[in-house]
Amino acid sequence: MTGYSHQKRFLVAVDCIIFGFDGQQLKLLLIQRGFEPEKGKWSLMGGFVEKEESFEIAAGRVLHKLTGLENVYMEQLYAFSDPVRDPIERTASITYFALIDINQYKHQISKDYHAEWFQLNKVPKLIFDHTEMVEMAKEKLRYKAALHPILFELLPEKFTLPQLQVLYEGVYDATFDKRNFSRKVLSTGLLVKQKEKEKESSKRGAFYFKLDKRKYKTKFDAFLNFIPNPHKLK
Amino acid sequence: MTGYSHQKRFLVAVDCIIFGFDGQQLKLLLIQRGFEPEKGKWSLMGGFVEKEESFEIAAGRVLHKLTGLENVYMEQLYAFSDPVRDPIERTASITYFALIDINQYKHQISKDYHAEWFQLNKVPKLIFDHTEMVEMAKEKLRYKAALHPILFELLPEKFTLPQLQVLYEGVYDATFDKRNFSRKVLSTGLLVKQKEKEKESSKRGAFYFKLDKRKYKTKFDAFLNFIPNPHKLK
DNA sequence: CCAAAAGTGTTGCCGTTACACCCATGA
DNA sequence: TCATGGGTGTAACGGCAACACTTTTGG
């Protein structure tokens, strides 16, 4: 016996919801689909799962193909399985969301896919159920970032407190008091102050911080509490 | 064109991690697998996804077949995809965890599958990667129940505060102060005190409570905070 | 010297914890 | 009447939110 003979077999794809932060705004990387159906329409980057590949490996491969990056934070989001979500042939899609530092991203590679970064509130119409996937990913990002320090995955190695605050404010579409914010993040003990300052965005300059990688790993599951208060939402 | 011609197609199964509460303990429902390979070994209840079925529908069907229940709380857990997780043929497994009131469960149906309830700390060796699935489900249950009132899905319509406390203590393997516990749950406004008492388990009797279903739906995403303090862990 | 952003402390409030006694009842 | 489990109040503490002024420096 070489298989479970009478069962139906399916196509399985992975799709990546790729978030990036450019120092100002949280963005989403989309491509223009290169084959039919829906050729030329905006779409998440995806690909079929190959024969000897786990979904995780497939998602990493797809992400690498578009961005040139490896060792990126990725997390399985959800398995989408509506039998008619792809009109050509039934295809399940296992989605992954990825967080990348936009500055490390290689722009030239993505030209092949006609890729572009979009502001989160300016995402165009997407093919199939990709809009739903993006919405779910945004929600999960907010949920998870309220409890775990994952947003650091979006930042370069050195970053300033004002940059970090802009990022959190972007994710939650809220504004925070900078005194309370800095006290809260510093109280986690995850940040190490550097001697240099970032002098681009202000005259006085803001001190750089680095993540304490050892503590980051051990405290990743320690619950934080970055959920904005309802009355502070913009 | 009737498909994406050169891509590999896979078998896809769903497996259900079924939690139940009997008033005393949180338990897991397992079956003795009825076909090769690993026939007769302990396993999660599962089944192949059929041609026109979404994963959600398939998981519901599988759960119904074993328990006779419908409208059960179910949630997608994770897609497991190691290419060699099933030795006979590559099969991905989309897992769902379910929470049921053990008293509503129809014992006679499950006899066909040689099903049995196991205490969480006495789960036998399981086939394939099912042990890993169970571990992930336990962790997710703890995580989610710390933030959302999902544990009510394990209780009958009417329940007492002592019963509820036993449930939370079982899930977190911790003990709570009953005064603080009752204040906390009542402060959510989700519970409605009944006039009748439950008189089986004590002489004095304990008042029944019901869920306020309207508030349950609207406040489901309001974060609670049932995470036990580290120093209270047994 | 002035505009623009960085940086820093204190106070009040509220939610959480710790803790102990009385109540109702069946046997 | 006594043993068993149910039910309740208060005080201390700690964490969080609100809030405003000083510092630095490039132009």
Side-chain angles (χ1 to χ4, degrees), chain B residues 177 179-180 183-184 199 203-204 229 231-232:
Chain B
D177 180 274
R179 289 163 290 191
N180 294 335
R183 193 164 343 110
K184 207 181 232 177
K199 310 274 288 180
K203 293 164 184 173
R204 183 178 177 178
N229 263 1
H231 71 277
K232 283 193 152 183

Side-chain angles (χ1 to χ4, degrees), chain A residues 66-81:
Chain A
L66 180 62
T67 64
L69 299 177
E70 281 173 356
N71 293 111
V72 167
Y73 183 91
M74 283 192 100
E75 191 176 330
Q76 194 184 99
L77 179 66
Y78 201 75
F80 289 79
S81 61

